[in-house]
């Protein structure tokens, strides 16, 4: 994920608060007026930026899927042919997402089926491309790992990293840096375990 240094736009502020509120109370539990109040504008004023809540949800879920894929491709381009370094970079990028965008993980789990079919298909298409990018890199690092096993391992690691919304109790996480380091070790350990136990046969 690219770290922004400039101030977020009003549109980005709206999306951030919408994601937080949708994750906390569910899509149907939040009104347009509440989202507007969270960013200091009237509910009707939101319609200058979005057609409605459905449009916000679609932009959030399609947007984060696209950002993950774009970020992954950027890391591939920036890593000078070292598969180990590239895998570490991909893991770091996904950990940034898992720690900094936890409401979007919750939204994806709970609300994806609320998207229009075309938007839902686009999310799935972007996600498949992101998975296959990882699969290629994982198999470069662990060449004996067959493709189905590598793909299963990638999905399992995503599940591990995306578990952060379930650790939101005060004190449940040991601090961002320590949590990131722990998640990274767990991800690499999972891939090594998959290579050690499932290299010869597909899962």
């Amino acid at each position: 994920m690219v770290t922004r240094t400039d101030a977020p736009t009003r549109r980005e502020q709206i999306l951030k608060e919408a994601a937080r509120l949708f994750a906390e109370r569910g899509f149907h539990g939040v009104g347009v007026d509440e989202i507007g109040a969270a960013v200091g504008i009237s509910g009707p004023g939101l319609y200058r930026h979005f057609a409605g809540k459905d449009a916000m949800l679609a932009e959030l879920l399609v947007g984060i899927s696209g950002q993950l894929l774009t970020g992954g491709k950027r890391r591939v381009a920036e890593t000078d042919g070292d598969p180990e370094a590239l895998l570490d970079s991909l893991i770091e990028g996904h950990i940034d997402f898992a720690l900094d965008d936890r409401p979007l993980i919750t939204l994806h789990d709970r609300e994806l089926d609320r998207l229009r079919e075309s938007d839902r298909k686009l999310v799935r298409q972007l996600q498949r491309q992101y998975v296959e990018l990882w699969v290629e890199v994982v198999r470069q690092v662990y060449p004996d790992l067959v493709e189905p096993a590598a793909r299963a391992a990638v999905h399992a690691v995503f599940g591990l990293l995306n578990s952060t919304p379930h650790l939101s109790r005060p004190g449940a996480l040991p601090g961002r840096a320590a949590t990131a380091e722990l998640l990274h070790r767990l991800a690499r350990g999972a891939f090594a375990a998959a290579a050690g136990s499932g290299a010869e046969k597909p899962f």
Side-chain angles (χ1 to χ4, degrees), residues 172-186:
L173 296 176
R176 194 189 190 287
T179 300
E181 182 180 354
L182 172 62
L183 290 173
H184 198 121
R185 289 201 311 271
L186 290 171

Side-chain angles (χ1 to χ4, degrees), residues 16-131:
K16 180 179 179 180
E17 291 304 318
R20 179 182 64 81
L21 291 168
F22 292 159
E24 288 177 356
R25 284 185 266 166
F27 181 74
H28 288 304
V30 179
V32 171
D33 289 341
E34 294 173 273
I35 299 171
V39 295
I41 62 177
S42 66
L46 289 181
Y47 293 108
R48 291 196 295 270
H49 301 277
F50 297 95
K53 290 197 307 177
D54 289 339
M56 294 178 207
L57 182 64
E59 185 155 337
L60 284 165
L61 295 182
V62 173
I64 193 56
S65 297
Q67 288 173 42
L68 285 169
L69 177 59
T70 297
K73 289 180 176 179
R74 175 178 55 80
R75 289 171 184 274
V76 170
E78 292 175 350
T79 304
D80 188 20
D82 182 349
E84 292 276 359
L86 178 52
L87 182 56
D88 284 333
S89 182
L90 288 174
I91 292 170
E92 289 166 5
H94 200 96
I95 287 172
D96 284 344
F97 159 66
L99 293 177
D100 298 338
D101 294 306
R102 281 182 278 174
L104 292 177
I105 297 174
T106 301
L107 274 189
H108 180 276
D109 290 345
R110 293 180 183 171
E111 312 290 359
L112 181 63
D113 288 344
R114 299 191 188 281
L115 295 183
R116 293 179 305 174
E117 183 178 359
S118 59
D119 289 328
R120 192 164 59 249
K121 285 183 176 179
L122 179 55
V123 168
R124 294 301 192 193
Q125 179 184 20
L126 293 167
Q127 290 175 340
R128 283 194 296 271
Q129 293 178 53
Y130 184 58
V131 168

Side-chain angles (χ1 to χ4, degrees), residues 156-171:
V157 167
F158 285 172
L160 185 157
L161 299 180
N162 291 349
S163 67
T164 54
H166 306 293
L167 304 174
S168 57
R169 292 181 295 104

